[in-house]
Amino acid sequence: PGQRIDSGVYVSEDSWVTIPYAHCRGIAHCGELPHLSSPIESIDDDCISRVIIGFNVFGHDVGHLVSKAPEHSKTFRRKVKLYRSTLATPTSHASGMKLSQIRNNKGLTKLLVLAKREKIKAELRVSQERLTRGVWERLLGQDVAVSTIVSELSRASEWPRKNDVHAHVNHMIYSDPEYLDSRSGKRYRIVFGRDCKENKTTRGSLVSLSASLSAVEV
């Protein structure tokens, strides 16, 4: 049988420690250990309710990661459910997993879709940063027509196509007005050419392809 310790604490044969309820009692233990609050069996006063408040404490090494999905939160439970479902289909390292098994495992399918989506988003961010650098390199020290930038930096069958470059240049004009040249340490901003009729009143539409742009030091 188990062992009963002071204050009613009981240790079972399988090492479960049962600590009885007491007013304002605090229990501290390692969060990696399995733990639970057992159902109420009886309360002498019908007007008394048992309230349990849990505090999860994490070190600085993992705190910023845990904050994205705090334990017992909806995000945490959703992720736990998702990861558990990926383990529902047994497989071996030798045979691998068949496509049919992946399709039948909703959790694993969703996880793979999310991973693919994050990969695409990361690749797009890198491509956008590369496109931004390309635009600034063409603007530094010279007037360039928007149509020229679109023609030189666009691709025929993949991102960025002509419309993508056109929209990106427009975004840079009105949303990213300054650029820091890492090589010279100087800051630049985009300005319209002297003969360009483009102005802030046209902000609601894309900048004209005939407009000329250049970069001037701030």
Side-chain angles (χ1 to χ4, degrees):
Q3 179 183 4
R4 190 170 299 277
I5 311 176
D6 293 341
S7 303
V9 177
Y10 179 78
V11 182
S12 66
E13 289 183 325
D14 52 2
S15 298
W16 273 94
V17 179
T18 301
I19 303 175
Y21 170 79
H23 182 64
C24 291
R25 165 167 280 172
I27 302 171
H29 64 86
C30 178
E32 296 179 355
L33 296 175
H35 54 279
L36 59 87
S37 298
S38 60
I40 298 175
E41 297 180 356
S42 64
I43 294 182
D44 296 336
D45 191 336
D46 293 338
C47 297
I48 296 178
S49 298
R50 183 181 67 170
V51 178
I52 298 175
I53 302 177
F55 297 91
N56 294 311
V57 182
F58 301 92
H60 294 287
D61 54 338
V62 296
H64 65 289
L65 298 174
V66 177
S67 64
K68 297 179 180 179
E71 290 198 43
H72 306 301
S73 65
K74 290 184 179 179
T75 304
F76 176 83
R77 291 196 297 269
R78 184 169 62 249
K79 290 183 178 294
V80 170
K81 183 178 180 181
L82 176 61
Y83 293 148
R84 282 177 176 173
S85 65
T86 63
L87 304 176
T89 304
T91 184
S92 65
H93 295 291
S95 61
M97 180 174 283
K98 298 180 180 179
L99 183 59
S100 59
Q101 291 177 305
I102 297 177
R103 288 175 175 172
N104 293 331
N105 190 321
K106 294 182 179 180
L108 181 56
T109 301
K110 184 176 181 180
L111 187 62
L112 293 175
V113 170
L114 291 175
K116 179 65 175 180
R117 185 180 302 167
E118 289 301 316
K119 180 182 178 182
I120 293 174
K121 287 167 63 177
E123 292 175 346
L124 178 59
R125 282 193 295 269
V126 172
S127 298
Q128 288 174 329
E129 292 171 358
R130 186 184 302 116
L131 178 56
T132 297
R133 289 194 300 271
V135 173
W136 279 110
E137 288 173 358
R138 282 158 177 78
L139 293 178
L140 292 175
Q142 58 182 334
D143 285 2
V144 183
V146 174
S147 58
T148 301
I149 297 175
V150 170
S151 177
E152 292 181 354
L153 297 181
S154 61
R155 299 181 181 181
S157 58
E158 59 182 354
W159 199 94
R161 295 181 173 84
K162 289 185 176 181
N163 289 339
D164 299 320
V165 178
H166 192 183
H168 193 81
V169 171
N170 190 80
H171 177 79
M172 290 176 62
I173 293 172
Y174 296 116
S175 300
D176 296 321
E178 291 188 6
Y179 169 73
L180 175 62
D181 186 355
S182 58
R183 289 171 294 187
S184 65
K186 298 179 180 179
R187 287 188 175 275
Y188 296 88
R189 63 183 177 87
I190 298 176
V191 296
F192 290 104
R194 294 180 179 179
D195 300 330
C196 182
K197 298 179 181 180
E198 200 73 24
N199 54 59
K200 290 185 178 181
T201 61
T202 61
R203 189 167 180 166
S205 58
L206 290 177
V207 60
S208 172
L209 289 171
S210 61
S212 60
L213 306 174
S214 64
V216 295
E217 186 176 351
V218 177

